[in-house]
């Protein structure tokens, strides 16, 4: 379904990036050549095809992990895990990594928000005494 909407909005999306619709096939051909590491100027394609395949593999592994987590526990735990993955991913991608030199600094509001999110997740998962246990003691 997502691919259908992308195809329907392709002319609009390409114009947003400043690519005329008539030049779009050349961009797609160049992208496929870069991904497959064949033909053209491969100096503009560092890390191909290793990085796109690594991204796809890690994305599939994460999704399989979350599905297994849903199977073994509740959807709430899986949702909390996926929620925690967002600030962790942003933090990791802000570090100086190969093919992404220099890194970036994170804003104070992001750091405060990430700390609040992680503390909320920790507080939610702390073991609590139930009301029945308190009454019997």
């Amino acid at each position: 379904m997502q691919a259908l909407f992308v195809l329907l909005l392709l002319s609009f999306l390409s114009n947003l990036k400043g690519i005329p619709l008539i030049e779009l096939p050349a961009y797609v051909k160049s992208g496929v050549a870069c991904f497959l590491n064949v033909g053209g100027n491969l100096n503009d394609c560092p890390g191909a095809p290793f990085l796109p395949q690594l991204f796809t593999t890690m994305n599939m592994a994460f999704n399989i992990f979350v599905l297994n987590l849903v199977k073994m526990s509740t959807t709430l735990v899986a949702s909390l895990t996926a929620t925690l993955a967002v600030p962790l991913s942003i933090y990791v991608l802000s570090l100086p990594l190969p093919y992404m030199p220099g890194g970036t600094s994170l804003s104070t509001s992001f750091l405060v928000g990430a700390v609040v999110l992680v503390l909320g997740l920790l507080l939610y998962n702390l073991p609590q005494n139930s009301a029945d246990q308190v009454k019997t003691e």
Side-chain angles (χ1 to χ4, degrees), residues 1-56:
M1 194 63 140
Q2 182 179 0
L4 175 68
F5 279 103
V6 169
L7 286 175
L8 290 175
L9 297 171
L10 198 55
S11 62
F12 175 71
L13 295 172
S14 65
N15 282 331
L16 281 178
K17 287 297 209 177
I19 303 169
L21 188 60
I22 197 76
E23 294 179 15
L24 199 57
Y27 277 91
V28 171
K29 181 181 175 186
S30 173
V32 169
C34 188
F35 179 75
L36 297 175
N37 212 7
V38 295
N41 186 4
L42 297 179
N43 293 331
D44 295 336
C45 308
F50 174 70
L51 291 179
Q53 290 174 349
L54 179 65
F55 169 78
T56 304

Side-chain angles (χ1 to χ4, degrees), residues 107-131:
S107 68
T108 306
S109 60
F110 170 78
L111 294 174
V112 169
V115 166
V116 168
L117 177 73
V118 171
L119 287 176
L121 292 172
L122 288 173
L123 288 173
Y124 179 81
N125 288 311
L126 284 177
Q128 298 176 358
N129 291 335
S130 69

Side-chain angles (χ1 to χ4, degrees), residues 62-73:
F62 177 76
N63 288 328
I64 290 169
F65 168 74
V66 170
L67 285 173
N68 281 331
L69 192 60
V70 168
K71 209 163 64 170
M72 292 172 23
S73 62

